[in-house]
Amino acid sequence: MVARPEGGALGDAVRLLPDLLRLVGRLARDATLPGGVRLRLWLLLAYLAMPIDLIPDFVPVLGYADDAILVAFVLRSVIRRAGPEAVARHWPGGEEGLRAVRRLTRT
């Protein structure tokens, strides 16, 4: 079962999607992270780059919700395996955005 972000967390994820994508790219290129973690991140980037989605992106709000939920799920697994310091080290946004990521991933 996929952990779904609740209420405001989903809105945070959609609003922060550009920073989240940069974060995922930076984490995927971090050679200090375990290989399995980096593989999950690269697979996430490949899925996000694919033109076919579960819910097409042109559907207002819901189109990006599936992407945001998947990003939250993968980041949560990354934090469990690599630690929250890795995410904090690579976070491209401000402190408020990082707090939103922590809420989103429930860490």
Side-chain angles (χ1 to χ4, degrees):
M1 179 178 205
V2 175
R4 292 182 146 196
E6 298 173 7
L10 180 58
D12 287 344
V14 172
R15 183 175 44 83
L16 292 172
L17 205 51
D19 284 338
L20 287 169
L21 292 175
R22 275 180 280 191
L23 172 67
V24 169
R26 289 176 180 183
L27 287 167
R29 291 187 300 272
D30 184 347
T32 65
L33 296 180
V37 168
R38 294 177 62 213
L39 177 63
R40 271 180 253 156
L41 292 162
W42 282 113
L43 290 172
L44 173 63
L45 287 171
Y47 169 79
L48 293 173
M50 286 181 5
I52 299 171
D53 267 343
L54 295 174
I55 301 172
D57 288 340
F58 63 81
V59 175
V61 181
L62 294 177
Y64 293 104
D66 66 327
D67 295 342
I69 290 168
L70 189 58
V71 168
F73 177 72
V74 171
L75 280 180
R76 188 173 185 185
S77 76
V78 167
I79 290 170
R80 285 182 175 171
R81 183 88 163 97
E85 310 81 35
V87 171
R89 187 173 60 242
H90 291 290
W91 178 247
E95 187 61 35
E96 183 181 331
L98 185 55
R99 281 193 300 272
V101 169
R102 289 180 181 141
R103 279 192 313 273
L104 179 70
T105 59
R106 298 181 186 156
T107 58

